[in-house]
Amino acid sequence: MFRYLFALALMAWTGAVLAHDHNRPDLSEWFERLRDRRGDRCCDGSEAMHLSEVDWEITGSHYRVRVPTTPWGFRLAMAGATNVETEWVYVPDAAVIDEPNRANVTLVWPLYGPTGVSVRCFIPGTMT
């Protein structure tokens, strides 16, 4: 049991480390200032998932992202796992961050709740 809890804590901790590029401390303040179109704070980069170009798209005038289907899958993906079950989720217009992306990588902040996965914040990368 102890090993299981230790492994879970380690994955959560390493996921937070991998999400924000600590080689770029100049972005720390930028991450903390990010707000969606409603003005809500997106949280720091430790909760942001980096997306490759195949994991996001524009359909019509709306964004869609491919994210893990469960919070556990999110933790695994943040820790580097590649065999995590994912699903396509539409990004609400209000969740889009309009300012220039200083990280130069597409970022999404998924939100998991009783009705499934949604998107809290999203900032497109260099494809746009």
Side-chain angles (χ1 to χ4, degrees):
M1 179 69 169
F2 175 75
R3 280 190 269 182
Y4 175 75
L5 292 174
F6 178 76
L8 182 61
L10 183 63
M11 281 191 294
W13 180 78
T14 57
V17 170
L18 294 174
H20 180 234
D21 186 355
H22 292 284
N23 294 324
R24 299 276 319 268
D26 56 308
L27 294 182
S28 294
E29 285 184 31
W30 176 75
F31 272 112
E32 291 176 15
R33 286 193 318 266
L34 288 178
R35 304 257 190 261
D36 64 16
R37 289 180 178 167
R38 292 179 302 261
D40 294 335
R41 189 169 177 263
C42 293
C43 296
D44 64 22
S46 68
E47 297 177 4
M49 181 174 213
H50 293 204
L51 296 179
S52 66
E53 288 186 21
V54 298
D55 291 326
W56 70 283
E57 64 185 14
I58 300 171
T59 57
S61 61
H62 300 283
Y63 293 102
R64 263 185 5 144
V65 295
R66 186 174 16 215
V67 295
T69 58
T70 65
W72 176 251
F74 174 75
R75 287 185 199 97
L76 290 173
M78 294 291 279
T82 57
N83 60 341
V84 175
E85 184 179 347
T86 61
E87 66 181 281
W88 284 99
V89 177
Y90 281 95
V91 176
D93 291 337
V96 176
I97 300 170
D98 289 322
E99 73 175 79
N101 186 336
R102 293 180 58 194
N104 295 324
V105 64
T106 302
L107 300 169
V108 64
W109 286 257
L111 185 61
Y112 296 90
T115 59
V117 62
S118 59
V119 174
R120 180 175 48 194
C121 290
F122 172 78
I123 187 166
T126 57
M127 189 170 102
T128 60

